[in-house]
């Protein structure tokens, strides 16, 4: 598989940072980037992810991948998100956008929720402290919320999932991986990004059509991501 010829993957940076996952997210219907990516990267992303792409900050900050969680059906944003930002997302993408407040990690929805178009996953302790949030997640994302005592409370940082696969932190055990496989209905395996980083989401922006990886991601890491998320 040739990454360049296949146009299903690319290595990129964000203003010199390889932690690109903090600055964007993608679903099978749309991609959102925070402001600051070079024009050439935006054009590459449109071709590789194969969905409309908009550039829009949240809370006037470009860290979309940390603050926001989305699937093809809806978008959840922190309570402090500006009304104007929500209106732009609703107008441009024509799907529900809702504020979601957590008692912990309230500005980091992308770190604590893992979602695709079939399920949303939360650490069980976070879910128990935020029962009222579960209904909002289910209503806006149009999926059921599943909970589990994951090794990592920030499951959204430890795993990247689309509608084909989930690439997970290498320390996650077989029971955790099996739970992700069964609830999200995807193939699952472990891997790294950016030459050894175990926090997958920090270095990947992916949907079911392609993915963008941080600039330091090795060829072997790209191949592993492709086999799980795209092939």
């Amino acid at each position: 598989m040739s990454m360049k010829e296949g146009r299903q993957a690319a290595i990129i940076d964000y203003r010199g940072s390889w932690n690109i996952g903090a600055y964007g997210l993608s679903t099978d219907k749309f991609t959102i980037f925070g402001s600051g990516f070079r024009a050439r990267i935006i054009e590459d992303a449109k071709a590789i992810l194969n969905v409309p792409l908009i550039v829009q900050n949240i809370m006037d900050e470009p860290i979309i991948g940390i603050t926001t969680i989305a699937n093809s059906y809806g978008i959840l944003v922190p309570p402090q998100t500006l009304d104007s930002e929500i209106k732009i997302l609703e107008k441009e993408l024509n799907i529900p956008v809702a504020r979601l407040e957590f008692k912990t990690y309230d500005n980091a929805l992308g770190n604590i929720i893992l979602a695709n178009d079939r399920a949303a996953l939360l650490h069980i302790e976070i879910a128990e402290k935020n029962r009222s949030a579960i209904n909002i997640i289910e209503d806006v994302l149009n999926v059921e919320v599943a909970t589990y005592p994951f090794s990592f409370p920030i499951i959204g940082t430890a795993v990247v999932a689309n509608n084909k696969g989930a690439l997970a932190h290498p320390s996650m055990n077989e029971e955790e991986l099996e739970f992700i496989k069964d609830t999200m209905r995807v193939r699952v395996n472990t891997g790294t990004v950016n030459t050894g980083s175990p926090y997958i989401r920090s270095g990947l922006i992916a949907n079911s059509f392609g993915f963008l990886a941080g600039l330091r991601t090795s060829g072997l890491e790209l191949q592993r991501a492709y086999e799980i998320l795209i092939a």
Side-chain angles (χ1 to χ4, degrees):
M1 190 248 333
S2 169
M3 291 295 172
K4 290 187 177 180
E5 291 174 6
R7 301 306 293 160
Q8 290 179 298
I11 54 173
I12 67 169
D13 71 302
Y14 175 85
R15 295 181 170 177
S17 170
W18 50 84
N19 294 317
I20 61 161
Y23 303 99
L25 64 83
S26 189
T27 75
D28 287 3
K29 297 294 184 182
F30 58 86
T31 298
I32 308 172
F33 274 5
S35 62
F37 283 99
R38 298 193 302 275
R40 174 64 184 273
I41 289 175
I42 290 174
E43 291 307 307
D44 281 349
K46 289 178 181 177
I48 289 165
L49 299 172
N50 199 31
V51 291
L53 185 155
I54 69 168
V55 177
Q56 177 59 50
N57 289 348
I58 294 295
M59 302 188 300
D60 208 26
E61 296 288 344
I63 48 174
I64 294 291
I66 294 173
T67 59
T68 307
I69 186 69
N71 65 7
S72 297
Y73 304 113
I75 305 171
L76 295 165
V77 296
Q80 300 88 345
T81 303
L82 303 177
D83 289 343
S84 58
E85 295 169 339
I86 291 176
K87 288 178 181 177
I88 290 170
L89 291 174
E90 290 175 333
K91 179 181 178 181
E92 292 290 329
L93 301 175
N94 195 31
I95 59 172
V97 181
R99 292 182 175 92
L100 181 64
E101 184 171 5
F102 273 85
K103 294 178 182 177
T104 51
Y105 306 102
D106 63 338
N107 292 335
L109 303 182
N111 284 355
I112 61 173
I113 304 172
L114 178 66
N116 67 0
D117 291 346
R118 303 187 188 105
L121 274 53
L122 274 175
H123 192 284
I124 191 167
E125 291 183 2
I126 293 176
E128 288 174 352
K129 294 176 182 177
N130 297 276
R131 293 181 183 276
S132 62
I134 292 177
N135 288 337
I136 298 172
I137 297 170
E138 293 183 333
D139 288 346
V140 175
L141 300 186
N142 195 31
V143 295
E144 289 189 6
V145 171
T147 65
Y148 191 84
F150 292 108
S151 303
F152 303 90
I154 49 173
I155 186 64
T157 299
V159 183
V160 164
N162 58 18
N163 292 326
K164 292 182 177 180
L167 189 65
H169 191 293
S171 294
M172 295 186 78
N173 62 46
E174 288 298 324
E175 289 79 10
E176 293 175 284
L177 300 180
E178 196 68 22
F179 182 82
I180 294 170
K181 176 184 175 182
D182 291 344
T183 54
M184 306 191 91
R185 286 179 275 156
V186 294
R187 56 187 175 236
V188 179
N189 212 328
T190 58
T192 56
V193 292
N194 285 322
T195 316
S197 172
Y199 291 98
I200 305 295
R201 183 68 176 88
S202 68
L204 279 184
I205 299 171
N207 63 14
S208 300
F209 307 113
F211 66 89
L212 308 169
L215 202 58
R216 290 187 64 189
T217 303
S218 70
L220 289 175
E221 289 173 326
L222 290 171
Q223 186 66 36
R224 182 64 161 252
Y226 176 84
E227 290 169 355
I228 299 304
L229 298 172
I230 306 300

